[in-house]
């Protein structure tokens, strides 16, 4: 029975929870057409703001984190039809990293690793049966973990988050309880509040009952709604939360209009920049898209040659341009590190609605390159020189990198490394190795250009079937980025070297119990 439940919940987007419908106490204005077009304020205002912020020594930090965006979904990373001129400009003027990784091939653990600089298996923010957090999660992000926002607040930074959290929706787990001064966004994936469908606990009970016919009917209905999403199919909540002198002020708008999610996150982000241009700030902009169901505003419907998926990505690109323009108008662009990347690879199960991994193999949910290697762009005008970088880097490294740049302590980021020497052009990346975890299990390991697979498996019912390799598979990623040709037998010395590296990696790691699976264990416990 557990096997069937495990199989069901490996697909992170397939469940739903019903929230009470609450009226928001905070209203957020929509992004105007002029802002989306990249139009800013007057030059005189920009100069005045620049004079006011000239004394700011510590850099501002902007991290933009797309959801399920594939390695091949941007113009600068090879997509022939999706137009992303704003992201491509950041890539041309800064560094485009070709070998940049997330710590997990699915959402919640990947986001946790970015914010903490720690492997999900070290923090417990992973799952073997339940891959991500679901609505009404009683646990969520633990107080014992230190976020980048908390670390930056110790250095006088204003911190704002606008977009998807997915690390717990209980009050104690919200972003404003973990270092962010304010947050506007969805608490989890945008497909977790299906209207008229069973919620998380109901589906667990259904699987325990063994009613396969009813389960098949439920997923057939959902597949149809994914294929032709309507606003009325989903009751996603939009949270408004901020820290106040007396504690916290929280409200929820439910359902929210998902066609406006990108616009509203952008409006909140640009407003945050304008309000905090006179002090160092950390802006975290984790977009809800292009996670399915795909929603874009009316102005972008049918705009892209890449279909609905392309529409969504092109709206994100315009958002990136609006954020950059807001930094320019605030006079702080040259004092701001901008990072754009994705939380994992494309959701290939969704076919043409799920994005592309380019020449990389497979996608989201897997430890093949397409699941964990993501597009990454670093921009800092006047500080980061234009370059294409093929050193290894990881979203886990952002914590250590940022704290080094601001003169802070990155001791809590036990798995992150400082990429600032490579960003500034003074030394190679310190990262030469990368572990590939699926849940709590190490499936593969990279050292230099070589990658060794101990276990291979597709995602969400897709091939290949899970296989534990008696003789691990070896690939040279620079010569064979698509992982087509196993060369283990001709390079036994490389296999032995990586196995030794894995032994050293495991010696310094204690795998914590899964915080995600704890909920399933509680539901299955005898009453």
């Amino acid at each position: 029975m557990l096997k069937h439940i495990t199989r069901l919940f490996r697909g992170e987007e397939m469940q739903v929870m019903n929230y009470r419908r609450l009226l928001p106490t905070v209203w957020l204005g929509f992004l105007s057409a002029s802002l989306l077009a990249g139009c800013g304020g007057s030059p005189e205002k920009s100069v005045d703001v620049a004079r006011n912020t000239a004394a700011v020594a510590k850099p501002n930090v902007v991290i933009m984190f797309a959801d399920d965006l594939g390695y091949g979904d941007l113009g600068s990373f090879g997509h022939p039809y999706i137009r992303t001129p704003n992201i491509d400009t950041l890539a041309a003027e800064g560094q485009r990293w070709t070998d940049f990784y997330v710590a997990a091939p699915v959402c919640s653990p990947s986001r946790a690793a970015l914010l903490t600089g720690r492997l999900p298996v070290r923090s417990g923010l992973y799952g073997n049966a339940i891959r991500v957090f679901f609505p009404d999660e009683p646990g969520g992000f633990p107080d014992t973990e230190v976020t980048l926002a908390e670390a930056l607040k110790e250095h006088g930074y204003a911190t704002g988050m606008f977009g998807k959290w997915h690390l717990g929706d209980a009050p104690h787990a919200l972003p404003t309880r973990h270092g962010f001064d304010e947050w506007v966004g969805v608490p989890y994936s945008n497909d977790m509040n299906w209207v008229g469908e069973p919620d998380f606990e109901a589906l667990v009970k259904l699987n325990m009952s063994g009613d396969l016919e009813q389960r098949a009917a439920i997923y057939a209905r959902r597949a149809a709604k994914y294929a032709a999403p309507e606003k009325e199919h989903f009751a996603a909540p939009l949270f408004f939360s901020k820290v106040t002198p007396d504690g916290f002020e929280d409200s929820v708008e439910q359902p929210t209009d998902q066609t406006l999610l990108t616009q509203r996150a952008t409006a909140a982000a640009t407003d945050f920049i304008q309000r905090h241009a006179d002090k160092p700030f950390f802006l975290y902009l984790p977009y809800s898209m292009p996670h399915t169901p795909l929603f874009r505003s009316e102005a972008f419907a049918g705009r892209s040659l890449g279909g609905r998926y392309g529409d969504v990505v092109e709206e994100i690109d315009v958002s990136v341009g609006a954020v950059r323009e807001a930094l320019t108008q605030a006079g702080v662009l040259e004092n701001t590190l901008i990072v754009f990347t994705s939380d994992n690879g494309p959701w290939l199960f969704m076919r043409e609605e799920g994005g592309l991994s380019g020449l990389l193999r497979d996608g989201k949910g897997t430890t093949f390159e397409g699941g964990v290697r993501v597009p990454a762009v670093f921009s800092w005008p006047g500080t980061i020189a234009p370059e294409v970088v093929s050193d290894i880097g990881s979203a886990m490294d952002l914590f250590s990198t940022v704290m080094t740049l601001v003169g802070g302590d990155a001791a809590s980021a036990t798995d992150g490394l400082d990429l600032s020497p490579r960003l500034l052009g003074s030394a190679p990346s310190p990262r030469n190795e990368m572990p590939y975890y699926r849940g709590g299990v190490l499936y593969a390991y990279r050292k230099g250009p070589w990658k060794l697979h101990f276990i291979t498996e597709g995602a969400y019912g897709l091939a290949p079937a899970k296989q534990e390799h008696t003789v691990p598979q070896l690939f040279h990623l620079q010569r064979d980025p698509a992982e087509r040709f196993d060369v283990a037998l001709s390079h036994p010395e490389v296999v032995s070297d990586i196995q030794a590296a894995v032994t050293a990696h495991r010696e310094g790691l204690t795998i914590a119990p899964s915080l995600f699976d704890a909920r399933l264990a509680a539901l299955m416990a005898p009453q």
Side-chain angles (χ1 to χ4, degrees), residues 490-506:
S490 57
H491 293 281
E493 76 288 352
V494 176
V495 173
S496 297
D497 182 55
I498 297 179
Q499 288 174 327
V502 169
T503 298
H505 165 74
R506 285 175 165 155

Side-chain angles (χ1 to χ4, degrees), residues 33 36 107 192 206 228 267 318 326 357 373 485 523:
L36 277 174
C107 183
M192 287 187 166
L206 174 62
V318 171
S357 54
R373 196 194 298 198
F485 310 116
L523 288 173

Side-chain angles (χ1 to χ4, degrees), residues 31-51:
L31 189 62
S32 67
S34 61
L35 181 57
L36 277 174
C39 299
S42 66
E44 293 79 11
K45 180 179 180 181
S46 178
V47 171
D48 289 340
V49 175
R51 292 195 187 105

Side-chain angles (χ1 to χ4, degrees), residues 74-283:
L74 303 175
S76 48
F77 280 79
H79 202 292
Y81 303 121
I82 297 178
R83 313 300 190 207
T84 52
N86 293 293
I87 299 171
D88 298 346
T89 295
L90 293 180
E93 295 178 351
Q95 289 184 358
R96 177 170 65 85
W97 284 54
T98 64
D99 292 50
F100 196 81
Y101 293 89
V102 286
V106 290
C107 183
S108 294
S110 172
R111 291 162 191 271
L114 181 151
L115 288 172
T116 64
R118 285 158 53 84
L119 283 166
V121 292
R122 192 186 297 275
S123 64
L125 288 162
Y126 72 95
N128 293 311
I130 302 178
R131 296 300 190 186
V132 298
F133 282 128
F134 284 90
D136 289 343
E137 166 60 42
F141 195 88
D143 289 336
T144 52
E145 294 296 313
V146 177
T147 69
L148 178 58
E150 289 174 307
L152 287 173
K153 281 192 68 64
E154 294 294 322
H155 290 265
Y157 275 67
T159 57
M161 174 181 167
F162 308 102
K164 175 179 171 180
W165 173 236
H166 214 169
L167 290 170
D169 58 345
H172 64 267
L174 298 182
T176 45
R177 279 62 164 180
H178 296 282
F180 289 98
D181 297 326
E182 54 189 282
W183 169 49
V184 178
V186 293
Y188 35 68
S189 296
N190 65 319
D191 66 343
M192 287 187 166
N193 292 93
W194 296 80
V195 173
E197 300 287 355
D199 63 16
F200 178 87
E201 294 190 9
L203 281 170
V204 171
K205 293 176 182 178
L206 174 62
N207 275 269
M208 293 176 68
S209 73
D211 190 338
L212 301 182
E213 183 176 348
Q214 184 178 357
R215 188 178 71 177
I218 291 170
Y219 287 125
R221 291 198 303 268
R222 292 186 176 193
K225 293 176 180 177
Y226 272 123
E230 300 289 344
K231 291 184 287 185
E232 295 75 18
H233 293 161
F234 303 91
L238 186 67
F239 276 55
F240 302 81
S241 182
K242 62 181 179 180
V243 179
T244 70
D246 299 322
F248 306 96
E249 182 177 304
D250 304 315
S251 62
V252 183
E253 173 186 299
Q254 189 174 24
T256 194
D257 184 348
Q258 291 202 44
T259 66
L260 300 174
L261 283 179
T262 299
Q263 285 194 11
R264 296 178 79 174
T266 308
T270 55
D271 176 66
F272 177 83
I273 291 169
Q274 294 163 3
R275 288 187 284 111
H276 295 286
D278 60 345
K279 64 180 294 187
F281 60 79
F282 171 40
L283 168 61

